[in-house]
Amino acid sequence: MAAGALSKPQLDGVERIIAVASGKGGVGKSTTAVNLAVALALKCKLRVGLLDADVYGPSIPLLMNLSGQPKIDSANKMIPLENYGVKCMSMGFLMEKDAPVVWRGPMVMSALEKLTRGVSWGKLDIMVVDMPPGTGDAQISVSQRLKLAGAVIVSTPQDIALLDARRGTNMFQKVHVPILGLIENMSYFICPGCGQSSHIFGHGGCETTAKEMQIDFLGKVPLDVHIRETSDEGKPIVASSANSDVAAVYNSIATRIVDKMRELASAGAYVTPNISVG
Ligand SMILES: *[C@@H]1O[C@H](CO)[C@@H](O)[C@H](O)[C@H]1NC(C)=O
Ligand SMILES: *[C@@H]1O[C@H](CO)[C@@H](O)[C@H](O)[C@H]1NC(C)=O
């Protein structure tokens, strides 16, 4: 890793910023970002922020059951909305409902500026960023602006999604953001009647790809109808069914991410001291 490529994020009080990304949309990126953020807060006991950088289709307000305009503090900064122990900021709080917005590159950057430096985040151990889907210039500028300490890639096991996951991984590596690992979403289906799991999209796709790319495979999140229902109601499964198998997967992924950041820190990848909690 290039020395000095990673330095403290230029956001006062924020220790580390990690991205949850996917090569393409519709693979469960936002659901994963939300559940990881809640797991980092509730399970790992960290001070967590969640930034919805998916300005094209902000879904954090719905997934976190948050709405309304943020209040402004005396320093003229927006106060993040909070639920499940996570401080959240999203363009969705600032836009008129259903108002069409045509985003151009510079507008995305100024929106991002507003959602980061224009917010009174307080002290955070970690900020999770729900990235816009894709691997283009917008994603590269977001990565560089935020000085990401790592990225998690979400994919489904289908070939096309995996190809995009590779593209996403390459993009982050090109801008010297360490890949914390790959998460497989929708890998097997737990039959609600019999409790048997069956692989409906082939077997081992993400794990094999991770091995080939020499990145960590962080875990498989089962396709559980419950996740969809609870997500759409604004109840992340990590909080609403804390004892479920699915919550256990997210909790273990969150713990591994914290461990990996510690390893990276002790290997000297970061200029700032370690995350000390957990
Ligand atoms: C996986 O992706 C699908 C499609 O976006 C989504 O509906 C589902 O909730 C995701 N599952 C998880 C566990 O995030
Ligand atoms: C969402 O938040 C509202 C207002 O705080 C609350 O009344 C409602 O019960 C919440 N819904 C869920 C699913 O937690």
Side-chain angles (χ1 to χ4, degrees):
M1 193 166 312
L6 295 163
S7 47
K8 195 177 167 68
Q10 311 216 311
L11 255 186
D12 282 347
V14 180
E15 202 64 31
R16 295 272 189 278
I17 306 183
I18 65 165
V20 175
S22 67
K24 67 193 226 22
V27 298
K29 171 181 59 65
S30 299
T31 312
T32 304
V34 159
N35 280 290
L36 280 183
V38 176
L40 287 165
L42 302 185
K43 169 80 181 165
C44 306
K45 312 280 182 229
L46 298 177
R47 296 168 294 182
V48 183
L50 177 58
L51 169 64
D52 190 353
D54 192 350
V55 293
Y56 301 98
S59 50
I60 297 304
L62 175 71
L63 296 177
M64 291 293 282
N65 189 27
L66 288 169
S67 61
Q69 288 261 334
K71 295 198 167 65
I72 307 292
D73 73 4
S74 56
N76 211 20
K77 294 199 172 199
M78 294 183 285
I79 300 170
L81 302 187
E82 190 168 340
N83 206 358
Y84 309 110
V86 175
K87 291 182 177 174
C88 304
M89 190 45 72
S90 168
M91 214 54 208
F93 300 145
L94 311 179
M95 295 186 313
E96 297 277 340
K97 273 226 164 49
D98 305 321
V101 182
V102 182
W103 291 97
R104 290 181 206 89
M107 285 169 67
V108 173
M109 283 308 124
S110 73
L112 198 72
E113 191 70 19
K114 197 173 191 169
L115 298 179
T116 51
R117 268 175 266 280
V119 174
S120 160
W121 288 102
K123 293 235 178 289
L124 296 180
D125 297 307
I126 192 159
M127 174 183 280
V128 176
V129 181
D130 183 15
M131 293 286 281
T135 52
D137 289 346
Q139 289 75 12
I140 292 179
S141 352
V142 170
S143 311
Q144 289 175 328
R145 288 269 179 122
L146 293 180
K147 294 204 188 294
L148 296 176
V152 173
I153 313 284
V154 182
S155 182
T156 56
Q158 291 98 326
D159 291 343
I160 298 191
L162 284 169
L163 206 66
D164 286 318
R166 281 175 190 266
R167 216 169 274 144
T169 305
N170 291 335
M171 179 206 84
F172 283 114
Q173 286 173 335
K174 212 179 290 168
V175 293
H176 305 291
V177 172
I179 302 293
L180 300 170
L182 184 64
I183 298 178
E184 179 171 317
N185 176 31
M186 292 207 301
S187 50
Y188 54 94
F189 175 73
I190 301 173
C191 163
C194 59
Q196 293 277 352
S197 68
S198 59
H199 293 261
I200 55 174
F201 293 113
H203 202 134
C206 289
E207 199 160 3
T208 309
T209 301
K211 212 170 266 164
E212 280 165 14
M213 300 198 71
Q214 299 181 310
I215 59 177
D216 268 11
F217 181 66
L218 294 174
K220 296 177 204 261
V221 181
L223 181 68
D224 185 336
V225 278
H226 209 64
I227 300 181
R228 177 137 231 150
E229 282 165 11
T230 57
S231 298
D232 290 354
E233 281 170 26
K235 286 195 279 191
I237 195 155
V238 165
S240 65
S241 305
N243 297 319
S244 63
D245 290 350
V246 176
V249 172
Y250 283 123
N251 283 334
S252 104
I253 293 173
T255 309
R256 276 189 71 182
I257 287 174
V258 172
D259 288 346
K260 286 211 71 157
M261 313 256 308
R262 279 212 192 89
E263 281 165 30
L264 283 165
S266 61
Y270 304 125
V271 177
T272 45
N274 233 330
I275 290 183
S276 54
V277 211

mmCIF file of all heavy atoms in Angstrom, residues 64-66 83-84 230 233-235, ligand 2:
data_model
loop_
_atom_site.group_PDB
_atom_site.id
_atom_site.type_symbol
_atom_site.label_atom_id
_atom_site.label_comp_id
_atom_site.label_asym_id
_atom_site.label_seq_id
_atom_site.Cartn_x
_atom_site.Cartn_y
_atom_site.Cartn_z
ATOM 1 N N MET A 64 -34.135 3.391 7.695
ATOM 2 C CA MET A 64 -33.883 3.710 9.105
ATOM 3 C C MET A 64 -35.099 4.334 9.783
ATOM 4 O O MET A 64 -35.010 4.775 10.926
ATOM 5 C CB MET A 64 -32.685 4.662 9.227
ATOM 6 C CG MET A 64 -31.345 4.029 8.865
ATOM 7 S SD MET A 64 -30.819 2.735 10.019
ATOM 8 C CE MET A 64 -30.203 3.713 11.403
ATOM 9 N N ASN A 65 -36.212 4.367 9.080
ATOM 10 C CA ASN A 65 -37.444 4.965 9.615
ATOM 11 C C ASN A 65 -37.199 6.380 10.148
ATOM 12 O O ASN A 65 -37.500 6.696 11.292
ATOM 13 C CB ASN A 65 -38.046 4.080 10.723
ATOM 14 C CG ASN A 65 -39.433 4.551 11.143
ATOM 15 O OD1 ASN A 65 -40.157 5.167 10.350
ATOM 16 N ND2 ASN A 65 -39.794 4.317 12.396
ATOM 17 N N LEU A 66 -36.609 7.201 9.283
ATOM 18 C CA LEU A 66 -36.335 8.587 9.670
ATOM 19 C C LEU A 66 -36.908 9.511 8.599
ATOM 20 O O LEU A 66 -36.822 9.218 7.410
ATOM 21 C CB LEU A 66 -34.822 8.818 9.770
ATOM 22 C CG LEU A 66 -34.116 8.177 10.955
ATOM 23 C CD1 LEU A 66 -32.601 8.265 10.784
ATOM 24 C CD2 LEU A 66 -34.543 8.837 12.272
ATOM 25 N N ASN A 83 -31.440 7.057 14.779
ATOM 26 C CA ASN A 83 -32.291 5.922 15.130
ATOM 27 C C ASN A 83 -31.404 4.693 15.318
ATOM 28 O O ASN A 83 -30.343 4.606 14.703
ATOM 29 C CB ASN A 83 -33.326 5.674 14.016
ATOM 30 C CG ASN A 83 -34.583 4.989 14.551
ATOM 31 O OD1 ASN A 83 -34.672 4.662 15.735
ATOM 32 N ND2 ASN A 83 -35.558 4.769 13.678
ATOM 33 N N TYR A 84 -31.824 3.752 16.136
ATOM 34 C CA TYR A 84 -31.065 2.515 16.399
ATOM 35 C C TYR A 84 -29.608 2.810 16.759
ATOM 36 O O TYR A 84 -28.700 2.061 16.375
ATOM 37 C CB TYR A 84 -31.124 1.582 15.186
ATOM 38 C CG TYR A 84 -32.540 1.325 14.682
ATOM 39 C CD1 TYR A 84 -32.976 1.847 13.477
ATOM 40 C CD2 TYR A 84 -33.434 0.582 15.452
ATOM 41 C CE1 TYR A 84 -34.269 1.628 13.023
ATOM 42 C CE2 TYR A 84 -34.738 0.362 15.000
ATOM 43 C CZ TYR A 84 -35.138 0.886 13.799
ATOM 44 O OH TYR A 84 -36.420 0.679 13.340
ATOM 45 N N THR A 230 -38.962 -6.360 7.154
ATOM 46 C CA THR A 230 -38.560 -5.468 8.230
ATOM 47 C C THR A 230 -37.837 -4.243 7.674
ATOM 48 O O THR A 230 -38.012 -3.146 8.175
ATOM 49 C CB THR A 230 -37.665 -6.174 9.273
ATOM 50 O OG1 THR A 230 -36.536 -6.697 8.613
ATOM 51 C CG2 THR A 230 -38.402 -7.266 9.984
ATOM 52 N N GLU A 233 -40.198 -1.640 6.362
ATOM 53 C CA GLU A 233 -40.920 -0.968 7.447
ATOM 54 C C GLU A 233 -39.994 -0.045 8.227
ATOM 55 O O GLU A 233 -40.414 0.578 9.189
ATOM 56 C CB GLU A 233 -41.452 -2.006 8.438
ATOM 57 C CG GLU A 233 -42.710 -2.712 8.007
ATOM 58 C CD GLU A 233 -43.000 -3.887 8.930
ATOM 59 O OE1 GLU A 233 -42.573 -3.865 10.109
ATOM 60 O OE2 GLU A 233 -43.639 -4.836 8.457
ATOM 61 N N GLY A 234 -38.729 -0.017 7.873
ATOM 62 C CA GLY A 234 -37.791 0.817 8.588
ATOM 63 C C GLY A 234 -37.285 0.183 9.868
ATOM 64 O O GLY A 234 -36.974 0.874 10.842
ATOM 65 N N LYS A 235 -37.242 -1.162 9.886
ATOM 66 C CA LYS A 235 -36.703 -1.860 11.066
ATOM 67 C C LYS A 235 -35.560 -2.761 10.623
ATOM 68 O O LYS A 235 -35.787 -3.880 10.182
ATOM 69 C CB LYS A 235 -37.801 -2.724 11.706
ATOM 70 C CG LYS A 235 -38.833 -1.925 12.462
ATOM 71 C CD LYS A 235 -39.676 -2.818 13.359
ATOM 72 C CE LYS A 235 -40.779 -3.498 12.568
ATOM 73 N NZ LYS A 235 -41.778 -4.167 13.420
HETATM 74 C C1 LIG B 2 -41.069 4.823 12.863
HETATM 75 O O1 LIG B 2 -40.956 6.032 13.594
HETATM 76 C C2 LIG B 2 -42.197 6.536 14.041
HETATM 77 C C3 LIG B 2 -41.949 7.910 14.641
HETATM 78 O O2 LIG B 2 -40.896 7.900 15.552
HETATM 79 C C4 LIG B 2 -42.814 5.556 15.025
HETATM 80 O O3 LIG B 2 -44.047 6.030 15.488
HETATM 81 C C5 LIG B 2 -43.013 4.226 14.305
HETATM 82 O O4 LIG B 2 -43.485 3.260 15.201
HETATM 83 C C6 LIG B 2 -41.688 3.746 13.719
HETATM 84 N N1 LIG B 2 -41.911 2.570 12.916
HETATM 85 C C7 LIG B 2 -41.202 1.460 13.089
HETATM 86 C C8 LIG B 2 -41.497 0.365 12.122
HETATM 87 O O5 LIG B 2 -40.354 1.313 13.942
#
